[in-house]
Amino acid sequence: MINLNVPYTYEAMEKHINNLKNLYKFIEVGSIGESVLGKKLYYIRLGKGPNKVLYNGSHHGIEWITTPVLMRFMDEFLENYSNKYPMKGYDLNEVWTNSSIYIVPMVNPDGVNLVLNGLNKGNPYYEQLIKWNNGSKDFSKTWKANIRGVDLNRNYPALWEKSKEKEKSTGVYGPGPARYSGKYPLSEPESRALVNFTRKVNPNLTLAYHSQGRVIYWNFQNLASERDKVIGQALAKESSYYLDIASGSAYYGGYKDWFIFEFRRPGYTIEVGKGKNPLPISQFNTIYNNNVSILLLSSVITR
């Protein structure tokens, strides 16, 4: 159902979600909130079991390739489940009965559309965005932030102050393409919505999808357990990615960091693909094949 010959914008994802809902009327589809520009932050639930996990993608605009990865996973899962076929050796009826997989495929729809569609003159932040982008109208190669120039993955209350302190040393003095943490933690509707939804779902495990590096980041401030490391090692083995701990300014204010800090449960940042963002769509099939087993294993490993 995914046509990657055209940009996978918010509208393409929304159409895809509606198609899934029409095909599989038993799935739960909803919204966790809205973006700055009023786009719905969709979620889809697969399964009805008590073991809850939460996956999300596209915190960063130029990392939009993570959204079709999650959408392709839903396509394949639902097709196999409906036809009573296994998937990569997993009994999907058993997964459906015992687990609930919540997926927020596009956390930053305004940023994704800015990267893929360019800047529209009707955008209420038109002049500011050009200024924040160092005078350029080309957002396709550098823009990670939401439409207000806030890096959503540095806007979470997980030693946010440390992220803020490091801004000037990295040349960040306000809103821009990347690394601006916002005026205060959860200043942005997108990060607030994901925090509220995570608290509502209360998942046993979470995966935050980013690109690039072929690496899985685990732990935060040594709060993760040895069990969390073992799970991370299992995910790394399934994907051929390597397990690591983030360092430097990337170590503060992220979604995974906040989840570990608040819940003390396994949370992972999955960095898909290799190269320079935005990754070429030619990598998509390899990325998906590396991650489909991670997505399946994560849905059952904390049972």
Side-chain angles (χ1 to χ4, degrees):
M1 292 178 65
I2 295 179
N3 179 10
L4 294 177
N5 294 316
V6 295
Y8 200 80
T9 60
Y10 169 78
E11 289 74 21
M13 179 197 69
E14 186 174 52
K15 183 178 180 181
H16 191 167
I17 290 171
N18 287 331
N19 286 342
L20 286 177
K21 192 175 180 182
N22 288 332
L23 271 173
Y24 308 106
K25 299 188 185 303
F26 53 85
I27 63 171
E28 179 182 326
V29 175
S31 172
I32 69 170
E34 293 185 347
S35 69
V36 172
L37 295 182
K39 294 180 180 66
K40 288 183 180 179
L41 304 177
Y42 284 100
Y43 80 88
I44 301 90
R45 178 183 178 180
L46 308 178
K48 60 180 182 181
N51 176 52
K52 294 177 283 188
V53 297
L54 195 160
Y55 308 155
N56 64 73
S58 290
H59 264 88
H60 291 146
I62 58 172
E63 299 175 17
W64 61 268
I65 200 169
T66 57
T67 295
V69 168
L70 293 171
M71 296 300 297
R72 169 73 67 83
F73 171 71
M74 285 189 276
D75 277 350
E76 192 174 351
F77 187 104
L78 287 166
E79 183 177 4
N80 284 295
Y81 173 72
S82 295
N83 288 295
K84 297 181 172 27
Y85 295 150
M87 183 173 172
K88 297 287 184 181
Y90 288 83
D91 181 335
L92 296 187
N93 185 61
E94 186 177 329
V95 175
W96 191 276
T97 301
N98 292 296
S99 296
S100 292
I101 306 169
Y102 292 86
I103 298 176
V104 181
M106 191 179 288
V107 178
N108 183 11
D110 299 340
V112 168
N113 271 17
L114 182 62
V115 166
L116 293 176
N117 293 337
L119 181 59
N120 187 302
K121 283 199 172 181
N123 192 302
Y125 296 92
Y126 183 85
E127 298 294 341
Q128 295 102 309
L129 282 162
I130 295 171
K131 180 181 177 182
W132 296 335
N133 200 36
N134 301 311
S136 173
K137 293 182 182 178
D138 183 2
F139 296 83
S140 65
K141 303 292 192 296
T142 59
W143 196 264
K144 288 186 171 185
N146 75 346
I147 210 69
R148 291 202 292 220
V150 176
D151 189 325
L152 294 177
N153 208 44
R154 294 170 189 256
N155 191 232
Y156 292 93
L159 295 184
W160 176 90
E161 298 78 8
K162 295 282 187 182
S163 180
K164 197 69 179 171
E165 286 171 12
K166 289 181 175 288
E167 286 181 355
K168 290 182 180 179
S169 65
T170 57
V172 175
Y173 297 93
R179 301 194 302 276
Y180 175 60
S181 307
K183 292 182 179 180
Y184 51 87
L186 303 181
S187 61
E188 305 309 295
E190 299 92 346
S191 52
R192 283 200 304 275
L194 190 54
V195 160
N196 290 338
F197 186 65
T198 305
R199 287 171 175 159
K200 180 181 177 181
V201 170
N202 193 25
N204 293 324
L205 174 149
T206 188
L207 304 179
Y209 267 85
H210 290 258
S211 66
Q212 49 81 27
R214 292 175 55 87
V215 59
I216 299 173
Y217 291 116
W218 77 291
N219 214 341
F220 177 69
Q221 295 291 296
N222 293 318
L223 295 173
S225 68
E226 186 62 28
R227 173 183 179 244
D228 301 343
K229 184 178 182 180
V230 170
I231 291 173
Q233 290 169 335
L235 300 182
K237 184 178 180 181
E238 289 288 336
S239 59
S240 299
Y241 290 2
Y242 68 95
L243 190 66
D244 204 356
I245 297 175
S247 60
S249 60
Y251 194 42
Y252 308 113
Y255 172 79
K256 175 268 294 178
D257 307 329
W258 165 78
F259 181 79
I260 294 171
F261 184 77
E262 180 159 322
F263 288 84
R264 301 295 200 273
R265 296 175 190 163
Y268 306 92
T269 297
I270 315 287
E271 296 278 1
V272 306
K274 196 89 172 185
K276 186 176 181 181
N277 285 322
L279 294 177
I281 203 62
S282 59
Q283 289 195 27
F284 178 80
N285 286 334
T286 299
I287 289 170
Y288 180 74
N289 290 334
N290 285 335
N291 281 275
V292 62
S293 293
I294 286 182
L295 293 162
L296 288 164
L297 177 59
S298 296
S299 72
V300 300
I301 200 167
T302 54
R303 275 178 52 195

